[in-house]
Amino acid sequence: MAPSRRDEQDGVRFSYEEDLVTAIDIETGVAATGKSKAEALAELADALTLHEGGGEEIEDEDAFLREIGLDPEEVTTEQMPPWSE
């Protein structure tokens, strides 16, 4: 595994690991990943919109999790994301 590296620009910290780039908004801690810096930033913009209350409300969280391929029994909100450690 190649070592990861980090850099910071304009309120966003970037972390690079193998073929993924993670963009982390320093102020909120919201993060998103992509295969390039541009893709990670686009995903971060969407994530920040949702963090700030934008987007559509999810009526049935369990059904949504199953729809995106996750088992609702295995998803917890108590877990800290790895970038916050």
Side-chain angles (χ1 to χ4, degrees), residues 2-7 13-18 20-22 37:
S4 64
R5 65 183 178 93
R6 292 182 172 188
D7 70 54
R13 183 177 341 133
F14 295 95
S15 177
Y16 304 87
E17 199 164 329
E18 295 187 16
L20 284 180
V21 179
T22 301
K37 204 172 190 180

Side-chain angles (χ1 to χ4, degrees), residues 13-81:
R13 183 177 341 133
F14 295 95
S15 177
Y16 304 87
E17 199 164 329
E18 295 187 16
D19 63 344
L20 284 180
V21 179
T22 301
I24 306 149
D25 178 69
I26 296 168
E27 182 180 329
T28 62
V30 173
T33 60
K35 292 187 179 196
S36 68
K37 204 172 190 180
E39 188 176 305
L41 282 171
E43 293 294 329
L44 180 60
D46 289 344
L48 285 169
T49 297
L50 295 173
H51 178 77
E52 294 169 355
E56 296 178 25
E57 186 174 331
I58 297 172
E59 293 181 21
D60 184 341
E61 290 180 19
D62 288 349
F64 172 76
L65 290 171
R66 283 190 290 277
E67 182 180 316
I68 63 170
L70 297 174
D71 180 354
E73 298 296 319
E74 294 180 7
V75 176
T76 66
T77 57
E78 290 80 35
Q79 295 172 302
M80 293 299 293

